[in-house]
Amino acid sequence: MAVEVKTEESSIPQEEMVEKKLEADTDSDPVPILTEKKIEAEAVTVPVVEKAASFREESNFLSDLKESERKALFDLRAQIEEAISTKTLFVEKEKEKEKEADGEEVKCVDEGDKLEEEVFLWGVPLSPSKGTNSTDVLLLKFLRAREFKPKEAFDMLQKTLIWRKSQKIDSILSDEKDYSNADLDEACYIDGRDREGHPVCYNILGVLASAGLFETEEGRESLVRWRVRMMEKGIGMLDFEPGQVVSLTQVVDLKDAPRPGKKGVRAVLKRVVDVLQDNYPEMVARTIFINVPFWYYALSAIVSPFLTQRTKSKFVLSRPARTTETLLRYISAEALPVAYGGLKREGDSEFSLEDEVSELFIKANSAETIEIPAPQVGSTLVWDLSVIGWEVNYKEEFVPSDEGSYAVIIRKGKKMNSREGLVHNSFKNNEAGKVVLTIENNCQKKKKVLYRHKAKFLPVKGC
């Protein structure tokens, strides 16, 4: 029986589908070992493109809901209104029944704590009678996470509120102790938005492994806390209104990531997943896994049957060779960091998101040029350029308009390999002409070039 895993590739070469062993520590659950013979014997294909359509966010307009969905929303509203009026919103039903059976007065989580008349979650009022459209948008997230079952959605909301209170989540962004680990700054951060406007949260698991954060309880707790903090920061960038951006995009970089069998890794990842899954319903529109190694495909094939179709439809998997291509489908080149093949540089004073990136395709065994006009003397021309996958010959020169003048070599021609990053350069012209960028593709498949340029002119003093 074949097991399907959704990926960005239709197939993977046979040699990349075989690994002799998946590591497993003796103190963790064993990870099944897949060998070429075993895969062949069990007819397991790893991976195969899943036929189901990818996830699309549903409308949050009340008029677009089905009748059954509207009824579920009204039922949830009524439960919340009653819980707020009876001051039991922060008391779980099981505990409430136990206290009533013992003849105790039902109170909030903390003894003597008084529930305010207005309760907020992520800045959104929860009381339907005092709320706005944003209240319905938020409640729909809990309903969708529980298949529009009002009672289960209410229980989830209630547990989330109690968890947030006990963990002091509302103050996590201002709590100084949550700023203390520099390694976590590089391991998890929010940078820009995707093509649909979702804030993008990058998770770099290799950094966590090198920092040794999985090895101690303190490190694991810091990791969980920091991940929650990033989620709260991202949610602060959302607009809980119908038709607006109400979820995030996650990029999970598995390059140099520790395997699930490594001591402490499985436990902390499970804690992070549980916390986010239990307390942040429908807050992620898409999760893009990049630099995916073989062992992850094998693991996905094993756990895939236990995931809901809704969850699986939000996953995108990409091998190392396809990382940039995959990310560019969802994030524009202007917003994609240089580290992932985009043109966004930290502290860039010359280009911004408003400076659009152009694309150029170069056929196999052919060459193309990009010309940057410089008709005005004294201009400073600046440009960015990147080739997806590189492995091309590249050079830069200035060609004067006057045929009697000599061309100026800006960058000598050389072969650029796959380790190259963004090319950023500039040139000030002393005569009219143009800068010519030449890209020669000697490979057997076409190449995609990303580039942008502009001219800056500073008048000469005294003129």
Side-chain angles (χ1 to χ4, degrees):
M1 180 181 70
V3 180
E4 296 184 343
V5 180
K6 175 179 171 57
T7 72
E8 284 295 304
E9 297 81 32
S10 59
S11 64
I12 287 182
Q14 182 67 28
E15 63 269 17
E16 294 185 24
M17 292 174 58
V18 179
E19 183 156 306
K20 296 301 181 183
K21 183 179 179 181
L22 295 177
E23 285 184 348
D25 272 342
T26 55
D27 59 344
S28 62
D29 294 334
V31 179
I33 296 174
L34 295 183
T35 63
E36 185 173 9
K37 291 183 178 179
K38 189 169 184 179
I39 291 175
E40 199 172 338
E42 297 182 2
V44 177
T45 55
V46 184
V48 176
V49 174
E50 202 165 62
K51 301 299 182 183
S54 60
F55 175 77
R56 291 184 178 276
E57 291 182 279
E58 298 91 343
S59 170
N60 287 308
F61 287 99
L62 195 62
S63 58
D64 291 335
L65 298 179
K66 299 176 183 177
E67 183 60 35
S68 59
E69 295 172 343
R70 282 197 294 271
K71 182 179 183 303
L73 177 60
F74 297 150
D75 287 349
L76 180 56
R77 284 179 181 176
Q79 291 184 64
I80 294 172
E81 200 74 69
E82 179 184 3
I84 291 177
S85 64
T86 58
K87 296 184 173 61
T88 58
L89 186 58
F90 285 79
V91 180
E92 294 185 62
K93 292 294 183 182
E94 293 78 7
K95 295 181 180 179
E96 183 180 350
K97 291 178 180 178
E98 290 176 6
K99 288 189 176 184
E100 287 178 344
D102 294 336
E104 297 181 34
E105 181 182 357
V106 177
K107 294 183 179 180
C108 299
V109 176
D110 297 323
E111 192 70 23
D113 192 16
K114 188 174 183 180
L115 188 64
E116 297 179 359
E117 291 185 5
E118 289 193 37
V119 181
F120 293 85
L121 178 56
W122 298 306
V124 176
L126 287 181
S127 175
S129 61
K130 298 179 181 180
T132 60
N133 289 336
S134 59
T135 303
D136 285 345
V137 172
L138 183 57
L139 297 185
L140 282 170
K141 287 183 173 294
F142 285 88
L143 283 167
R144 287 182 173 124
R146 291 297 180 263
E147 300 180 344
F148 280 91
K149 297 176 182 178
K151 184 181 182 304
E152 293 183 16
F154 176 80
D155 290 343
M156 184 182 190
L157 172 61
Q158 188 179 52
K159 289 177 181 178
T160 293
L161 292 172
I162 293 172
W163 171 78
R164 293 179 67 84
K165 189 179 185 72
S166 66
Q167 298 297 314
K168 300 180 180 179
I169 302 301
D170 286 337
S171 63
I172 197 170
L173 291 178
S174 59
D175 192 343
E176 288 297 327
K177 71 180 181 181
D178 288 308
Y179 289 83
S180 59
N181 199 320
D183 292 318
L184 290 173
D185 284 329
E186 299 180 10
C188 183
Y189 57 88
I190 295 174
D191 189 354
R193 294 175 180 265
D194 67 11
R195 295 182 184 274
E196 297 174 336
H198 303 108
V200 182
C201 181
Y202 293 87
N203 302 267
I204 321 299
L205 299 192
V207 173
L208 298 178
S210 61
L213 295 172
F214 293 107
E215 297 172 6
T216 66
E217 181 58 31
E218 182 181 359
R220 292 191 285 269
E221 186 58 36
S222 295
L223 195 156
V224 175
R225 184 90 176 162
W226 185 261
R227 190 60 189 84
V228 169
R229 184 175 181 272
M230 284 298 102
M231 184 62 80
E232 291 291 321
K233 184 177 181 180
I235 291 174
M237 301 169 67
L238 305 180
D239 185 352
F240 289 96
E241 289 290 335
Q244 300 303 309
V245 176
V246 294
S247 58
L248 313 172
T249 286
Q250 287 195 113
V251 174
V252 181
D253 189 348
L254 294 173
K255 182 179 180 180
D256 299 323
R259 298 194 183 201
K262 185 176 175 62
K263 184 177 181 180
V265 172
R266 184 175 301 182
V268 73
L269 292 182
K270 183 179 186 303
R271 283 167 62 183
V272 170
V273 170
D274 287 347
V275 166
L276 298 185
Q277 185 171 265
D278 293 344
N279 301 287
Y280 296 91
E282 299 299 309
M283 287 297 181
V284 176
R286 180 178 293 109
T287 299
I288 307 171
F289 295 90
I290 58 174
N291 292 313
V292 179
F294 171 81
W295 60 257
Y296 188 89
Y297 284 118
L299 189 64
S300 296
I302 295 166
V303 303
S304 181
F306 304 101
L307 300 175
T308 66
Q309 188 57 48
R310 184 179 182 87
T311 297
K312 287 189 289 185
S313 68
K314 295 183 181 183
F315 289 173
V316 176
L317 273 63
S318 176
R319 292 180 293 138
R322 300 288 297 276
T323 289
T324 300
E325 288 180 75
T326 299
L327 290 175
L328 285 173
R329 295 179 186 178
Y330 305 100
I331 306 170
S332 69
E334 298 90 335
L336 184 64
V338 169
Y340 293 113
L343 271 60
K344 183 178 182 181
R345 292 180 293 128
E346 285 297 321
D348 192 343
S349 61
E350 294 168 332
F351 292 102
S352 67
L353 292 176
E354 284 67 45
D355 295 310
E356 293 187 6
V357 174
S358 299
E359 297 181 354
L360 173 67
F361 288 93
I362 307 177
K363 295 180 181 178
N365 298 308
S366 64
E368 295 285 349
T369 60
I370 298 170
E371 297 185 354
I372 307 174
Q376 193 168 9
V377 177
S379 302
T380 296
L381 309 171
V382 294
W383 60 90
D384 286 341
L385 180 142
S386 183
V387 181
I388 297 178
W390 283 102
E391 300 299 341
V392 299
N393 294 322
Y394 174 72
K395 68 176 181 178
E396 304 169 345
E397 62 181 334
F398 175 76
V399 180
S401 299
D402 186 349
E403 293 182 359
S405 297
Y406 292 99
V408 178
I409 301 298
I410 303 173
R411 181 193 291 257
K412 292 182 179 180
K414 62 170 286 190
K415 184 173 183 178
M416 309 282 272
N417 60 41
S418 58
R419 293 188 298 275
E420 302 291 340
L422 174 70
V423 170
H424 174 72
N425 211 347
S426 63
F427 180 79
K428 185 174 182 178
N429 65 314
N430 295 320
E431 58 181 315
K434 60 185 177 182
V435 169
V436 179
L437 313 178
T438 303
I439 307 102
E440 182 181 352
N441 177 23
N442 294 320
C443 297
Q444 298 303 311
K445 63 178 182 179
K446 68 179 180 180
K447 295 287 184 175
K448 183 177 182 179
V449 181
L450 307 172
Y451 69 95
R452 61 185 173 186
H453 57 79
K454 64 169 54 174
K456 299 187 294 182
F457 177 75
L458 296 177
V460 179
K461 291 183 179 180
C463 294

